[in-house]
């Protein structure tokens, strides 16, 4: 059976809101400035999985921490410019966060094909 598209859109929007809220907390605590070293291994794994960052069993913890810190550094100016509340309330904000994994994947493929 097929899931109604309205429910799928709702779930994707809720996941994006979770990411926005978590990113805002991590950025306000400045955890990205130390490479996310103060987070536990489980917290880093969960954060990477939620954001679609590398988190397979063969990915070392230091790589996951670097990816998470890079993600937070990338979105920090967006939080400073637009703000957490506007990102959550504005459908374009949640859509942007929903598409970040696909954007990262495309950039990775582009870099791999050019080398």
């Amino acid at each position: 059976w097929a899931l109604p598209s309205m429910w799928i859109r709702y779930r994707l929007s809720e996941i994006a809101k979770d990411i926005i809220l978590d990113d805002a907390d991590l950025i306000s605590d400045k955890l990205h400035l130390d490479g996310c070293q103060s987070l536990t291994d489980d917290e880093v794994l969960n954060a990477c999985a939620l954001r679609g960052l590398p988190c397979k069993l063969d990915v070392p913890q230091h790589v996951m921490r670097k990816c998470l810190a890079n993600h937070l550094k990338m979105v920090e100016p967006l939080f400073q410019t637009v703000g957490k509340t506007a990102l959550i309330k504005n459908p374009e904000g949640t859509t942007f966060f929903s598409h970040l994994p696909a954007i990262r994947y495309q950039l990775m493929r582009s870099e791999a094909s050019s080398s």
Side-chain angles (χ1 to χ4, degrees):
W1 51 275
L3 293 173
S5 63
M6 198 160 100
W7 184 83
I8 294 170
R9 279 193 301 274
Y10 168 78
R11 286 299 304 141
L12 287 174
S13 175
E14 290 301 304
I15 291 168
K17 288 176 185 177
D18 287 344
I19 294 169
I20 291 168
L21 291 171
D22 196 42
D23 282 356
D25 288 343
L26 295 172
I27 290 168
S28 71
D29 291 342
K30 300 183 183 338
L31 298 180
H32 58 301
L33 299 179
D34 74 347
C36 298
Q37 294 302 315
S38 55
L39 295 173
T40 67
D41 289 351
D42 283 344
E43 289 172 328
V44 172
L45 178 64
N46 290 333
C48 287
L50 180 63
R51 291 161 181 80
L53 297 170
C55 60
K56 296 178 186 173
L57 291 175
D58 61 340
V59 177
Q61 273 292 324
H62 73 278
V63 172
M64 286 191 270
R65 288 178 191 282
K66 182 176 180 180
C67 289
L68 179 58
N70 286 343
H71 166 84
L72 295 170
K73 288 175 188 172
M74 178 183 71
V75 298
E76 183 178 24
L78 189 59
F79 281 94
Q80 292 170 342
T81 305
V82 178
K84 171 178 72 173
T85 304
L87 287 170
I88 289 173
K89 290 186 177 186
N90 188 332
E92 286 83 9
T94 54
T95 300
F96 173 75
F97 274 82
S98 297
H99 285 87
L100 279 177
I103 293 167
R104 276 193 297 271
Y105 177 75
Q106 186 58 41
L107 288 171
M108 182 182 68
R109 287 190 58 191
S110 297
E111 288 175 10
S113 67
S114 66
S115 35

